[in-house]
Amino acid sequence: MNRRELFKGASALGLAASTPGFVSRAVAATTSPAVAAPVASPRQVLLLNKGWRFFAGDIPFPPIIGHDATYDAAKAGAARGAASPKFDDSAWQPVILPHDFVSFQPIEESGNVDQGYRRRGVAWYRNVLRFEPQDDGKHIELQLDGVATFATVWFNGTLVNRNWSGYNSIYIDLTPYATYGDQLNSLVVRVDADAMEGWWYEGGGLYRDAWIVKRNPVHIKTDGVFAHPVKDEKGWHVPVEVTIYNSGDKTETVRVHTNIGDEKSPAGGRPGVTKQVSVAPLSSTVVNYDIPFANPQLWSVETPHLYQVTTSLRSVTDAVLDQVATHAGFRTQRFDAQKGFFLNDQPVKLKGVCLHQDHAGVGTAVPDGVNDFRLRRLKSLGCNAIRFSHNAQSKELMEACDRHGFLVMAENRNFNASPDYMAQLEWLVRRDRNHPSVFLWSVFNEEPMQGTPAGYQMVRRMSSVVKSLDTTRPVTAAMSGGLFTPLNVSHAVDVVGINYQQGQYDPFHAAHPDKPVFSSEDSSALMTRGAFVTDKKTQVLASYDDEAAGWGETHRDAWKQIDTRDFVAGTFVWTGFDYHGEPKPFNWPSNSSYFGIMDLCGFDKTAVHIHRAQWIKDKPVLGLVPHWNWAGSEGKPIMVMACTNAEEVELFVNGKSAGRQKTDKYDMNRWTVPYAAGRIEARAYNGAKVVSTVINETTGEPVALRLTQDRPALTADGRDAQPVMVEAVDAKGRMVPLANHMITYEISGGAIIGLGNGDPISLEPEKGNRRSLFNGLGQVIVQSIEAQTGTLKLHATAPGLKPADLSIPVKAGPIPRSQLTRS
């Protein structure tokens, strides 16, 4: 099979779509019979992650000398230097996207503390694309899902886009510039990652997926379907808005059809709706209609049922021109200024976390499998909501939140009402307004202008933009001050988010009893995973939840302030996971945060036990800290902490009771006991019944390594990835909580794409095949190789320890079709 044959054919992958258009010229709607099954879409959605070459550093444009050169350089298609189609990039490094080039940089004291002391800078990416002769006449769009930070894009020597944020996607119509057959196409992206938008690790480069989308000239625009169910006095119905674009050279009459189904019946088994419409050349038309829908299964955080909305575009002769599938969830929501938040008319206390988008080992280029791991870890806490702080996330992560049942506070990055930044806000709402998980639009976080009339005016305008695109969710802003000035942002939002300032809950509610409020950010508690003695000289913070940033509170105190007030709708804890950068309260060598409920790898801190005890109501939970390895401290007092949602809890030290206590659901329970090697045991009681038991034992010396996979298998698509937990264990198989051995890894049948251990002061690389354990644990992120089925084998060794081996089945599965490139 030659390369051309390999990349032939169409893809039936669908993209969620919706975009604004102009005046609709739609005619009357008609109800049509249910379709037997969705038809294959002629649209091709092709992954563009291969074929890239990368250069770290800037390449100055050559000087222009002379009239002819100056004249020529001013013309389309005449890009110079590394942007030129003629530039020789053969010496550049081949890379596959997603690619966060900053994650490969060393940690250096001269770097920016908030970026994890990693260098950023300018970088270049180049690719060469081939479009087949039969592509001539199609509408061809480039989609770059995320480029950090400022991006300049050239196609065939013409500058086709400048983008000013590392978090919004870039959609570029390549149709006017494309060549076909043996005339190859040059694609170049210059990335300026010195431009920072935040005070946390932001990564750099083409760190999300890239795509080529080929469509009929008359097609549904990207992000061009809006179909979010609503319920009113007439019952459930789905208002549908479809934006159709015609890049052809004559007016076309088409029929647009939408039907709704679910996993059991993708076509819905119910009547759909069809409208006929005419679309002028190089124009957009917006079509609106309404689909009644009786007795749907509701989407909730416990049962996130999803429906598929299939929208097709057909010619008057019934030929399929385009088709996209989006997801929808039927649910109601409302905020009550006295009683908090209601989902499907049931009160739901928001038990949320704030998240940045990076993870140990991979930076911001986080595979979907690792994001799925992170979401499952959050679910295990009883977490039901996520605030993505402070920016848009990948579309795949948003879809995963729909599936897992999280309420999402979708947050805009840049607080600015100027046209460039309003366009970023518009993009966020258009792309994500179909997601049932999204329940709040946030226009900013902690802006200095929040208490001023200027801030009020800016939010008025930003809120108006949101509501022009979606009126089904309220607008909020995360305010860290200015709540009581005469005119401030709280007067311009629907729901007020309060960052910290917990002493202001009652005064603000008294002053504005009709304004719903929630904690958009709280806690900023500090702890080092697995450490139970604070030593600020070595930048270690004990994990008893007694340490917090100067502006914050402990996990226990923050939740108490929220849970005891019905009018506070809930919390978003800062943060769910540690993240690279912002290592407050320290500087060098600390290079990641201490704020997480879990560490950078997703391993448990004590905060995990605290929040499970606070948030989980439907089953008994019990956590016990610290570990019981305190050699050299015999007879000295050790604090023991139990976290449970049961009625009472009792501690035993080497079989002897240290006291039974009534559970304190806010402060948890503590004992101070003299250390003696052996075991501590906590028993949780409801009445006289023991409902849970946890034992921590003094371990022996480490003798072996153990590897534990996250999921049973991987898919051989070259994209699927999962974290593997690494432990040092004693002769009885118990994890040794003080082990810090250097581990070396070997792999076959897959690739290691990142390493981590959760140590905020580690200066070891997160790439390669060697990294130390930290307090007994480490993590390796492994990824499949495209089309290579069989077994991924991971081998781990450490001096003086028995090696460990792990085999993960790699199974055949769908491989996204890729755009033909030089690779």
Side-chain angles (χ1 to χ4, degrees):
M1 180 180 291
N2 61 38
R3 289 167 69 242
R4 182 177 300 186
E5 291 171 330
L6 182 64
F7 287 92
K8 275 184 178 179
S11 168
L13 294 175
L15 284 183
S18 129
T19 300
F22 305 112
V23 178
S24 172
R25 291 182 286 273
V27 297
T30 59
T31 301
S32 61
V35 180
V39 296
S41 174
R43 141 186 324 218
Q44 290 179 280
V45 182
L46 306 174
L47 201 59
L48 184 57
N49 286 357
K50 300 177 184 176
W52 293 93
R53 289 182 180 167
F54 167 76
F55 181 84
D58 204 3
I59 301 175
F61 288 94
I64 304 172
I65 300 173
H67 170 74
D68 290 345
T70 304
Y71 180 87
D72 292 342
K75 303 301 180 182
R80 299 170 297 113
S84 170
K86 300 176 182 179
F87 184 85
D88 181 7
D89 61 13
S90 59
W92 289 16
Q93 176 189 357
V95 296
I96 297 176
L97 307 186
H99 182 248
D100 172 8
F101 75 83
V102 180
S103 70
F104 292 83
Q105 304 303 309
I107 303 169
E108 300 174 315
E109 191 171 4
S110 59
N112 184 301
V113 56
D114 284 338
Q115 297 295 329
Y117 294 104
R118 287 171 170 85
R119 288 175 292 169
R120 303 187 78 209
V122 174
W124 289 76
Y125 293 83
R126 287 176 52 90
N127 210 331
V128 177
L129 285 58
R130 177 190 173 94
F131 298 130
E132 298 291 0
Q134 57 265 36
D135 291 330
D136 194 357
K138 295 179 181 177
H139 183 274
I140 299 176
E141 182 174 83
L142 168 67
Q143 299 179 353
L144 302 174
D145 284 352
V147 186
T149 298
F150 293 168
T152 309
V153 185
W154 293 266
F155 189 74
N156 287 338
T158 295
L159 197 159
V160 293
N161 188 272
R162 289 188 177 95
N163 190 66
W164 307 113
S165 175
Y167 299 106
N168 64 281
S169 297
I170 306 169
Y171 306 147
I172 305 173
D173 180 3
L174 301 181
T175 314
Y177 320 102
T179 60
Y180 305 91
D182 293 332
Q183 299 181 66
L184 302 182
N185 296 267
S186 166
L187 175 59
V188 183
V189 184
R190 180 185 182 271
V191 179
D192 178 4
D194 275 334
M196 290 181 285
E197 295 180 272
W199 51 98
W200 57 88
Y201 177 88
E202 297 187 282
L206 304 181
Y207 72 96
R208 293 181 185 163
D209 291 327
W211 307 86
I212 290 291
V213 181
K214 302 176 183 178
R215 287 172 280 197
N216 189 282
V218 184
H219 59 270
I220 300 166
K221 290 188 73 170
T222 302
D223 300 336
V225 173
F226 181 29
H228 182 62
V230 297
K231 185 181 182 182
D232 55 24
E233 64 278 359
K234 297 180 181 179
W236 283 104
H237 58 105
V238 184
V240 179
E241 175 187 295
V242 184
T243 305
I244 305 167
Y245 181 69
N246 180 6
S247 64
D249 55 9
K250 62 179 181 179
T251 298
E252 298 284 354
T253 300
V254 296
R255 290 185 291 127
V256 57
H257 173 89
T258 299
N259 63 286
I260 303 171
D262 57 17
E263 291 181 356
K264 296 179 180 179
S265 177
R270 308 177 189 226
V273 171
T274 299
K275 265 194 175 184
Q276 185 166 295
V277 63
S278 293
V279 191
L282 299 179
S283 296
S284 292
T285 293
V286 179
V287 184
N288 292 281
Y289 43 83
D290 197 79
I291 302 177
F293 201 98
N295 302 315
Q297 295 188 53
L298 299 186
W299 184 96
S300 70
V301 294
E302 297 85 10
T303 56
H305 189 84
L306 292 173
Y307 286 84
Q308 180 171 293
V309 179
T310 303
T311 302
S312 301
L313 203 61
R314 294 175 182 261
S315 70
V316 291
T317 60
D318 210 35
V320 178
L321 305 177
D322 197 11
Q323 180 172 281
V324 296
T326 60
H327 284 110
F330 288 78
R331 89 288 188 282
T332 63
Q333 67 167 79
R334 60 184 170 89
F335 281 87
D336 184 284
Q338 306 302 321
K339 295 296 184 180
F341 178 72
F342 289 76
L343 183 68
N344 299 325
D345 291 325
Q346 299 299 312
V348 174
K349 200 75 166 182
L350 301 173
K351 301 168 182 176
V353 299
C354 301
L355 288 188
H356 284 314
Q357 63 178 356
D358 62 308
H359 188 85
V362 293
T364 57
V366 185
D368 294 344
V370 175
N371 272 328
D372 186 78
F373 162 80
R374 288 163 63 90
L375 294 182
R376 285 184 279 110
R377 295 291 294 125
L378 292 174
K379 273 290 182 178
S380 76
L381 302 176
C383 175
N384 61 17
I386 299 172
R387 176 193 179 202
F388 284 123
S389 42
H390 307 284
N391 51 267
Q393 305 294 305
S394 71
K395 57 191 176 188
E396 292 83 6
L397 181 51
M398 298 299 295
E399 290 166 358
C401 289
D402 292 342
R403 296 193 303 270
H404 283 281
F406 286 98
L407 293 162
V408 169
M409 176 176 167
E411 191 156 85
N412 175 63
R413 170 74 292 268
N414 292 298
F415 183 45
N416 194 321
S418 65
D420 282 339
Y421 295 98
M422 286 292 222
Q424 294 174 20
L425 177 60
E426 291 173 359
W427 166 83
L428 170 67
V429 177
R430 285 194 196 102
R431 192 199 65 169
D432 289 345
R433 58 187 177 171
N434 284 314
H435 292 292
S437 55
V438 174
F439 80 117
L440 276 171
W441 300 113
S442 174
V443 295
F444 76 64
N445 172 71
E446 296 183 353
E447 288 293 333
M449 298 171 67
Q450 60 197 342
T452 68
Y456 166 78
Q457 292 295 343
M458 290 169 67
V459 170
R460 278 188 63 226
R461 286 155 175 79
M462 297 176 81
S463 178
S464 177
V465 165
V466 172
K467 293 179 184 298
S468 72
L469 299 168
D470 177 30
T471 58
T472 67
R473 291 98 161 176
V475 173
T476 189
M479 297 184 67
S480 57
L483 290 167
F484 297 101
T485 60
L487 186 62
N488 64 69
V489 164
S490 72
H491 300 124
V493 296
D494 305 306
V495 181
V496 177
I498 298 178
N499 284 14
Y500 310 103
Q501 308 178 87
Q502 293 203 301
Q504 303 298 339
Y505 292 161
D506 293 335
F508 185 84
H509 182 58
H512 305 278
D514 297 327
K515 199 77 165 181
V517 299
F518 70 104
S519 173
S520 42
E521 185 173 325
D522 58 62
S523 301
S524 279
L526 304 163
M527 58 181 73
T528 301
R529 191 262 301 158
F532 296 94
V533 177
T534 291
D535 183 353
K536 293 187 177 180
K537 290 183 179 179
T538 59
Q539 303 187 355
V540 173
L541 298 172
S543 296
Y544 286 111
D545 193 35
D546 292 327
E547 304 277 355
W551 60 84
E553 311 86 9
T554 66
H555 292 280
R556 294 165 298 139
D557 289 342
W559 177 247
K560 183 177 182 179
Q561 298 302 316
I562 292 160
D563 194 45
T564 55
R565 290 168 170 81
D566 288 344
F567 69 86
V568 180
T571 181
F572 286 95
V573 176
W574 190 265
T575 52
F577 298 86
D578 281 339
Y579 51 93
H580 296 90
E582 200 180 16
K584 294 182 180 298
F586 305 118
N587 287 303
W588 180 265
S590 290
N591 55 82
S592 69
S593 77
Y594 292 74
F595 297 118
I597 295 172
M598 290 172 273
D599 73 10
L600 196 58
C601 298
F603 296 137
D604 288 359
K605 296 185 184 181
T606 302
V608 167
H609 304 307
I610 293 170
H611 284 290
R612 283 178 178 155
Q614 292 172 339
W615 290 352
I616 294 176
K617 307 296 184 184
D618 59 350
K619 62 182 179 181
V621 297
L622 175 63
L624 179 66
V625 295
H627 59 74
W628 209 237
N629 281 31
W630 297 95
S633 296
E634 286 76 9
K636 295 181 180 179
I638 302 292
M639 182 180 292
V640 177
M641 183 175 181
C643 309
T644 184
N645 60 1
E647 295 170 358
E648 294 184 309
V649 60
E650 186 172 12
L651 177 69
F652 294 83
V653 180
N654 291 325
K656 182 179 179 180
S657 176
R660 181 164 168 170
Q661 302 177 8
K662 183 178 180 180
T663 297
D664 189 325
K665 68 177 183 177
Y666 295 121
D667 289 335
M668 306 296 125
N669 293 81
R670 299 190 184 201
W671 300 257
T672 299
V673 298
Y675 174 67
R679 60 191 276 168
I680 53 174
E681 177 182 352
R683 298 176 187 171
Y685 301 85
N686 282 336
K689 182 180 179 181
V690 176
V691 293
S692 186
T693 300
V694 176
I695 297 171
N696 292 350
E697 295 181 315
T698 306
T699 71
E701 292 297 314
V703 299
L705 295 175
R706 180 166 61 206
L707 301 174
T708 305
Q709 65 205 72
D710 174 53
R711 290 183 282 120
L714 287 169
T715 300
D717 59 2
R719 293 164 57 80
D720 194 13
Q722 64 167 283
V724 174
M725 182 171 66
V726 188
E727 300 170 278
V729 299
D730 70 2
K732 293 184 178 181
R734 298 171 297 190
M735 188 271 283
V736 180
L738 302 179
N740 293 308
H741 296 69
M742 175 63 72
I743 315 297
T744 301
Y745 304 96
E746 298 175 9
I747 192 169
S748 63
I752 294 172
I753 61 172
L755 305 169
N757 60 17
D759 181 2
I761 65 173
S762 176
L763 303 179
E764 298 171 2
E766 295 186 36
K767 304 293 185 181
N769 70 335
R770 297 178 76 249
R771 204 165 205 263
S772 299
L773 300 180
F774 175 63
N775 287 340
L777 299 174
Q779 186 175 84
V780 188
I781 299 175
V782 298
Q783 189 169 54
S784 67
I785 298 171
E786 185 175 310
Q788 185 172 323
T789 58
T791 304
L792 181 151
K793 295 183 178 180
L794 183 65
H795 180 69
T797 60
L801 302 183
K802 181 181 178 181
D805 291 283
L806 178 67
S807 295
I808 302 177
V810 183
K811 301 180 179 181
I815 298 175
R817 287 197 71 84
S818 292
Q819 167 62 38
L820 182 63
T821 69
R822 59 182 164 191
S823 62

